[in-house]
Amino acid sequence: MLQGATSGIGAETARVLAKRGVRLVIPARNLKAAEETKARITSEFPDSKIIVMRLDLSSLKSVRSFVSDFEALDLPLNLLINNAGKFAHDHGISEDGIEMTFATNYLGHFLLTKLLLKKMIATAKSTGVQGRIVNVSSGIHTWFSGDLIGSLGQLTRDKSHYDATRAYAISKLANVLHTKELARRLQEMDCNVTVNCVHPGIVRTRLTREHEGFITDFVFFVTSKLLKTIPQAAATTCYVATNQKLENVSGKYFSDCNEASNSEMGCNRKEAARLWSFSEIMVSTNWKDVFAPFR
């Protein structure tokens, strides 16, 4: 299963996995774009097995509805790639009352993974094939080192304090912390499922479509020698998702198809556990009732 496969890195990841014979489920908010991705892949690999399903990761209701629909298909689930991402220039609030970047990039993935975990564990047990969860983060997660939950509360409540880059960095740090805590929990459960996190690298994709203009063009021009092509950017995700060398490797952060170091805060187990507890509450109640206890 691969989210964010309608363009850019996600679409290339889907193409590579289909080439390797992986049966794909592509959840997407934009079904037309997902069907176009499917058509491009099947035109290149006619034997591809691809299912397109509706999912809006910014909506917890949509996540629950998607999981219910997926379970009704009674399909195995060995691979879950949490790739969908949003970089919103303007302040926005999800239907659940959460800052939109965090809701899309992290909280939706958190709930989706939580609800699909039982299926992944069962599939690994019945097939003997280790399940793998891959969280796509970003090196930008290192740009934030403050109080994640307190800052999220401020971003959500106070439009005047909204900073798009800060919001994105917070969401990507949350992806890293989620990986750390989930890996610990999977180990305690002694189940045959791993989870790792990846930084795909700097690449210009549709993620920046809301930032087109002189400043964005200038930044990408200056950093052009550091940019990766989309296939290069997708390589680390595909490596972590499929390479046999990574069997039993869990809770790690990868960049350029190698294990890498992340930020000091990204390695903080206490902060990872704190975020997990906060997330469990957020997916079950209204955020307005839960920010204060975690300050």
Side-chain angles (χ1 to χ4, degrees), residues 215-227:
I215 294 177
T216 301
D217 291 339
F218 177 74
V219 169
F220 276 100
F221 173 76
V222 171
T223 61
S224 60
K225 291 185 178 181
L226 301 176
L227 291 179

Side-chain angles (χ1 to χ4, degrees), residues 68-251:
S68 178
D69 291 342
F70 175 74
E71 289 178 339
L73 297 177
D74 196 28
L75 293 173
L77 183 60
N78 287 104
L79 179 61
L80 174 61
I81 302 179
N82 292 319
N83 172 77
K86 182 180 183 65
F87 194 133
H89 177 69
D90 297 318
H91 181 265
I93 300 295
S94 74
E95 65 183 41
D96 301 292
I98 310 298
E99 189 278 315
M100 186 61 81
T101 300
F102 188 84
T104 304
N105 293 0
Y106 168 71
L107 197 62
H109 287 132
F110 173 85
L111 180 60
L112 181 67
T113 304
K114 172 184 170 68
L115 296 180
L116 290 174
L117 197 55
K118 183 178 179 180
K119 168 65 75 172
M120 292 198 73
I121 293 171
T123 300
K125 185 175 181 180
S126 63
T127 63
V129 178
Q130 189 168 75
R132 294 191 184 187
I133 301 168
V134 182
N135 289 332
V136 179
S137 181
S138 167
I140 292 176
H141 85 272
T142 62
W143 294 10
F144 181 83
S145 60
D147 178 1
L148 188 154
I149 294 172
S151 295
L152 173 62
Q154 184 181 55
L155 284 169
T156 298
R157 291 190 301 259
D158 192 346
K159 182 178 180 179
S160 66
H161 283 83
Y162 184 73
D163 181 299
T165 302
R166 184 179 179 85
Y168 188 73
I170 286 173
S171 72
K172 290 302 168 180
L173 174 60
N175 293 147
V176 175
L177 293 173
H178 176 222
T179 301
K180 294 292 183 182
E181 179 64 12
L182 180 56
R184 186 189 69 78
R185 289 170 178 259
L186 289 171
Q187 185 176 26
E188 283 188 351
M189 295 166 66
D190 194 28
C191 55
N192 194 23
V193 177
T194 64
V195 56
N196 289 291
C197 197
V198 304
H199 165 51
I202 305 172
V203 59
R204 190 165 190 175
T205 68
R206 288 181 60 202
L207 189 64
T208 60
R209 62 186 178 276
E210 296 181 45
H211 300 266
E212 295 299 326
F214 173 76
I215 294 177
T216 301
D217 291 339
F218 177 74
V219 169
F220 276 100
F221 173 76
V222 171
T223 61
S224 60
K225 291 185 178 181
L226 301 176
L227 291 179
K228 290 184 177 182
T229 65
I230 288 177
Q232 288 172 336
T236 302
T237 301
C238 295
Y239 170 76
V240 174
T242 63
N243 197 286
Q244 294 182 355
K245 293 180 180 179
L246 298 186
E247 186 172 355
N248 298 322
V249 174
S250 193

